[in-house]
Amino acid sequence: MPKSRVVVLPGDGIGPEVAREARLVLEQLCPEVQLEEQLLGGAAIRATGEPLPQATVDACLAATAVLKGPVGDPEFDAADVRPEQGLLGLRAALDTYANLRPAVLGDVDVLIVRELVGGLYFGASGTREDGTVFDTCEYTPRQVERIVRRGFELARGRRRKLTSVDKANVLETSRLWRRIVDETAPRYPDVEYEHMLVDNAAMQLATTPQQFDVLVTENMFGDILSDLAAAVTGGLGLAPSASLSDGGAGLFEPVHGSAPDLAGRGIANPTAILRSTALLLEHGLGLPEQADALRTAIDAAIAAKPTPDLGGTATTDELGTAVREQLTVDGARVPSYGG
Ligand code: NAD
Ligand code: IPM
Ligand code: MN
């Protein structure tokens, strides 16, 4: 079998600090996997003038899976070329339309399934002569069908409850969305489903998140609701995600951003990217045992060495080291390679 190749995109701000911990874990857990770093976002703009260099696209398209740190830097806030454009371009190039954002804590176990390559972030935008500025939200039926099917499939493998979130009382795209959910549902008679308006969904997530199993929603609603779901399950420092296509390389990335307020201080919580690495091991490389070992090690390490966002004092490096020290597979310690 050819060797698996993982492209690591460290990104901006706290990105390189937390991606380093993920890389060390991957090297320890699966030394046979080839790792390769590429540029994305602000780091790529500084080096090449572009947020998504062709070399990065080519490497990611040829990879088994991609591990990505957050991108974005206040330095480019007023610029025409922005780091975030690189991320949107990469998601489109890989067609990672299904963004899985799990939020788990205590009796809460929610999976947000966010459409990732359509809607407002990809529609026509611009400025008219009269000074009007516009962004447009567009969805083709096919784009909605494939994400809705994913939502039902994922619910089927869990507690078999799907909540489709929309704004069908106002938006045409939401009415299309709702119709496709209703048309798809008969194929999944074992899954109980409901529709919920997005404003109410935010309130319900904040107050009684236990009621949800799988939420399926369009791009921007999912962006906002996933930060909220992270907030009610321990914070952004813990929240991972997997962005999947149909058969191509998946993109595994924390929900959080580049946290300019923490960048360079060595205190960001690496858990979100480490949990994203567990998702990469499971869904990207087909290594479920290693994924479980990593999850167990992370849980033990954050209990022993919490970072400041969790009320502790551990640094990024201290928590990452604690994770690597805890790593076991089948009860045996995974040997450390290279020190
Ligand atoms: P952010 O997620 O970077 O930060 C929000 C808050 O959460 C801050 O208080 C930050 O300190 C905290 N936080 C985030 N990650 C943390 C971690 N690992 N450990 C501890 N605390 C953490 O959101 P923002 O400030 O709105 O955005 C900053 C930049 O990140 C922007 O340029 C934005 O575009 C970008 N961004 C990128 C991604 C991505 O690449 N997927 C996601 C969100 C935001
Ligand atoms: C996220 C981020 C991105 C998004 C931005 C940086 C483009 O907020 O991954 O949640 O909106 O998808
Ligand atoms: Mn976001």
Side-chain angles (χ1 to χ4, degrees):
M1 238 175 70
K3 272 191 176 178
S4 295
R5 285 188 39 213
V6 173
V7 171
V8 180
L9 308 167
D12 303 319
I14 61 169
E17 299 168 37
V18 293
R20 176 179 181 275
E21 303 303 327
R23 196 185 162 131
L24 289 171
V25 157
L26 274 178
E27 283 169 357
Q28 180 174 331
L29 260 183
C30 29
E32 71 285 2
V33 170
Q34 274 180 15
L35 296 176
E36 169 188 343
E37 273 191 22
Q38 292 287 344
L39 294 167
L40 178 74
I45 300 175
R46 275 186 222 102
T48 71
E50 295 170 52
L52 179 61
Q54 191 58 45
T56 300
V57 178
D58 292 343
C60 292
L61 284 172
T64 320
V66 181
L67 181 67
K68 184 202 135 283
V71 298
D73 190 314
E75 178 190 334
F76 301 103
D77 275 353
D80 288 337
V81 179
R82 296 179 51 95
E84 292 83 351
Q85 293 162 349
L87 172 55
L88 296 179
L90 180 63
R91 289 171 177 167
L94 296 175
D95 198 26
T96 50
Y97 67 89
N99 182 215
L100 280 44
R101 296 191 158 188
V104 181
L105 185 71
D107 59 354
V108 180
D109 184 352
V110 182
L111 177 64
I112 295 185
V113 181
R114 169 190 178 193
E115 201 291 326
L116 200 61
V117 295
L120 208 45
Y121 300 179
F122 288 88
S125 64
T127 306
R128 295 201 193 94
E129 267 177 25
D130 68 356
T132 312
V133 179
F134 62 95
D135 299 288
T136 38
C137 185
E138 290 185 29
Y139 270 106
T140 65
R142 185 182 159 267
Q143 277 179 311
V144 180
E145 280 156 19
R146 63 181 186 171
I147 190 70
V148 165
R149 273 201 307 271
R150 280 279 185 143
F152 275 106
E153 294 288 345
L154 287 158
R156 181 170 262 179
R158 293 170 46 103
R159 302 196 309 279
R160 296 197 294 277
K161 182 170 176 202
L162 182 71
T163 305
S164 171
V165 176
D166 64 35
K167 187 74 185 173
N169 52 346
V170 178
L171 300 175
E172 285 297 341
T173 44
S174 283
R175 287 191 277 272
L176 169 72
W177 187 281
R178 203 172 264 225
R179 179 169 64 72
I180 288 174
V181 171
D182 287 332
E183 286 170 3
T184 308
R187 276 189 267 161
Y188 299 88
D190 51 325
V191 176
E192 177 197 336
Y193 84 103
E194 64 180 349
H195 300 288
M196 194 177 283
L197 296 173
V198 62
D199 41 0
N200 181 33
M203 188 277 283
Q204 301 284 343
L205 257 180
T207 53
T208 49
Q210 303 81 359
Q211 71 181 282
F212 295 112
D213 179 15
V214 178
L215 290 166
V216 65
T217 192
E218 65 89 49
N219 200 342
M220 189 173 70
F221 297 161
D223 184 20
I224 296 168
L225 293 179
S226 56
D227 267 38
L228 180 54
V232 300
T233 52
L236 276 175
L238 302 179
S241 92
S243 305
L244 306 176
S245 63
D246 285 327
L251 182 61
F252 299 84
E253 45 179 336
V255 172
H256 67 70
S258 54
D261 52 329
L262 301 181
R265 297 169 59 195
I267 56 167
N269 189 343
T271 301
I273 199 166
L274 291 171
R275 285 183 168 167
S276 304
T277 305
L279 291 170
L280 180 149
L281 288 164
E282 185 173 346
H283 300 283
L285 303 184
L287 299 171
E289 278 178 26
Q290 281 83 343
D292 277 344
L294 177 53
R295 288 190 191 103
T296 304
I298 293 168
D299 289 348
I302 53 179
K305 297 258 176 204
T307 41
D309 57 311
L310 303 176
T313 56
T315 63
T316 310
D317 171 62
E318 283 166 351
L319 179 50
T321 302
V323 171
R324 295 194 301 281
E325 284 173 359
Q326 298 278 350
L327 274 175
T328 56
V329 174
D330 288 338
R333 289 285 284 275
V334 175
S336 237
Y337 289 81

